[in-house]
């Protein structure tokens, strides 16, 4: 198992798994995650399918945070991080419950975090992977462009939900959105604060279209992403870029 392989005690790692109506894939994700990382927090984001019953009957010992109604992935992650801190964890690995990510790749992120305990470790998917929806590829490239403009940093995959966060690095962060684009927001704020962002190549699985479950709403979600990017661009002008310039000047004087 990969759990907390740090003899110096710098890292106590758990998995945070937000889920919404993914009962059909959740059990497999949890079982495979448990084999490499047994400390798991599941945030049931108001699922209306069989998720709650399956979690109650699961043979895997997981901590469950139940939300009475669907609040969005960003809100679910925030509740998961809050629970992780309350349980004494220093780092949280996030993984989606739809089966897209390979839990077997968790050790790749964990080992990188051991070498860089204050960094944000980003599991980067190959954008040309077989069966990857064209809409996903476009959305990722679109997001990568705006991220580079807002922060001056380049990442190969700013849309991935497979990440490892130092919980101290997101403490006190004010979230602008509660939906899935909050993950982009977290990266932008981390870059503005001068955090190290380290991509790690991971595998990705996309089932055939007829077996794929997606909660993406093209019109509403694209509008919300556009509004967020507008706000972040404004924030970059008045906060992000000046802070980065100040940091450069200070480093030159040292």
């Amino acid at each position: 198992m990969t759990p907390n392989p740090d003899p110096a005690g710098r890292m106590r790692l758990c998995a945070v798994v937000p889920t919404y109506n993914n009962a059909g894939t959740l059990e497999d994700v949890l079982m495979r995650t448990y084999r490499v990382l047994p400390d798991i927090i599941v945030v049931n984001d108001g699922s209306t399918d069989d998720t709650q019953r399956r979690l109650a009957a699961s043979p895997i010992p997981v901590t469950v945070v139940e939300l009475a109604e669907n609040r969005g992935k960003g809100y679910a992650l925030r509740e998961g991080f809050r629970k992780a801190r309350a349980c004494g964890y220093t780092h949280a690995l996030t993984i989606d419950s739809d089966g897209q990510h390979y839990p077997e790749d968790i050790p790749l992120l964990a080992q990188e975090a051991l070498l860089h305990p204050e960094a944000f470790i980003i599991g980067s998917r190959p954008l040309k992977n077989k069966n990857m929806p064209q809409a996903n590829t476009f959305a990722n490239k679109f997001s990568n462009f705006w991220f580079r403009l807002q922060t001056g940093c380049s990442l190969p995959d700013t849309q991935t939900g497979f990440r490892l966060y130092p919980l101290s690095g997101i403490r006190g962060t004010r979230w602008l959105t509660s939906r899935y684009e909050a993950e982009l927001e977290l990266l932008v704020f981390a870059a503005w604060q001068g955090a190290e962002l380290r991509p790690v190549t991971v595998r990705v699985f996309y089932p055939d279209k007829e077996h794929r479950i997606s909660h993406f709403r093209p019109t509403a979600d694209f509008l919300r992403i556009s509004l967020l990017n507008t706000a972040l661009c404004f924030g970059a002008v008045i906060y992000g870029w000046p802070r980065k310039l100040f940091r450069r000047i200070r480093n030159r004087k040292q």
Side-chain angles (χ1 to χ4, degrees):
M1 287 186 178
T2 299
N4 309 327
D6 183 6
R10 296 169 300 169
M11 185 171 76
R12 288 198 63 216
L13 176 63
C14 70
V16 171
V17 186
T19 188
Y20 174 63
N21 288 352
N22 280 123
T25 54
L26 178 61
E27 289 177 285
D28 180 65
V29 170
L30 294 180
M31 181 65 73
R32 292 162 62 194
T33 298
Y34 183 74
R35 290 174 186 151
V36 292
L37 182 58
D39 300 324
I40 302 173
I41 297 172
V42 179
V43 184
N44 183 14
D45 187 19
S47 296
T48 57
D49 61 2
D50 204 26
T51 293
Q52 189 175 47
R53 185 194 65 79
R54 294 195 185 199
L55 284 173
S58 174
I60 303 171
V62 299
T63 299
V64 179
V65 177
E66 288 281 355
L67 303 183
E69 61 183 25
N70 179 245
R71 302 292 297 271
K73 188 178 184 183
Y75 188 92
L77 286 173
R78 183 169 58 188
E79 293 303 299
F81 294 153
R82 182 178 289 127
K83 186 66 174 179
R85 278 192 290 265
C87 292
Y89 296 104
T90 61
H91 293 71
L93 179 139
T94 60
I95 183 169
D96 292 344
S97 63
D98 59 2
Q100 175 191 138
H101 307 133
Y102 283 76
E104 293 78 13
D105 287 342
I106 288 175
L108 299 177
L109 278 66
Q111 290 300 323
E112 190 72 11
L114 285 177
L115 297 174
H116 307 276
E118 301 303 318
F120 286 58
I121 313 301
I122 315 301
S124 300
R125 304 161 297 177
L127 294 184
K128 295 183 179 180
N129 192 77
K130 182 181 178 181
N131 288 339
M132 188 167 190
Q134 291 185 349
N136 291 53
T137 301
F138 171 79
N140 207 347
K141 291 181 178 179
F142 181 79
S143 176
N144 292 352
F145 166 79
W146 285 108
F147 179 78
R148 186 165 57 250
L149 182 67
Q150 292 154 0
T151 66
C153 304
S154 294
L155 284 175
D157 187 359
T158 55
Q159 292 283 301
T160 178
F162 196 18
R163 304 175 179 182
L164 198 157
Y165 295 93
L167 291 174
S168 61
I170 55 178
R171 184 184 295 275
T173 298
R174 295 187 177 183
W175 302 53
L176 299 177
T177 177
S178 63
R179 297 293 171 178
Y180 79 93
E181 64 271 16
E183 291 176 303
L184 171 62
E185 178 187 338
L186 279 175
L187 287 186
V188 171
F189 287 159
W192 286 351
Q193 295 295 329
E196 186 178 11
L197 309 178
R198 299 190 66 85
V200 173
T201 301
V202 296
R203 294 169 290 175
V204 64
F205 171 74
Y206 281 103
D208 295 333
K209 188 175 182 179
E210 57 269 22
H211 297 112
R212 190 177 304 148
I213 298 175
S214 175
H215 303 299
F216 183 76
R217 299 170 299 173
T219 302
D221 289 347
F222 186 78
L223 176 60
R224 207 170 53 246
I225 293 169
S226 298
L227 291 174
L228 175 63
N229 275 316
T230 300
L232 291 176
C233 285
F234 180 73
V237 172
I238 66 172
Y239 178 80
W241 282 102
R243 186 179 179 89
K244 187 171 184 176
L245 179 61
F246 174 77
R247 204 159 44 241
R248 284 184 178 178
I249 295 174
R250 183 185 59 189
N251 291 340
R252 286 177 182 177
K253 291 182 178 180
Q254 292 178 350

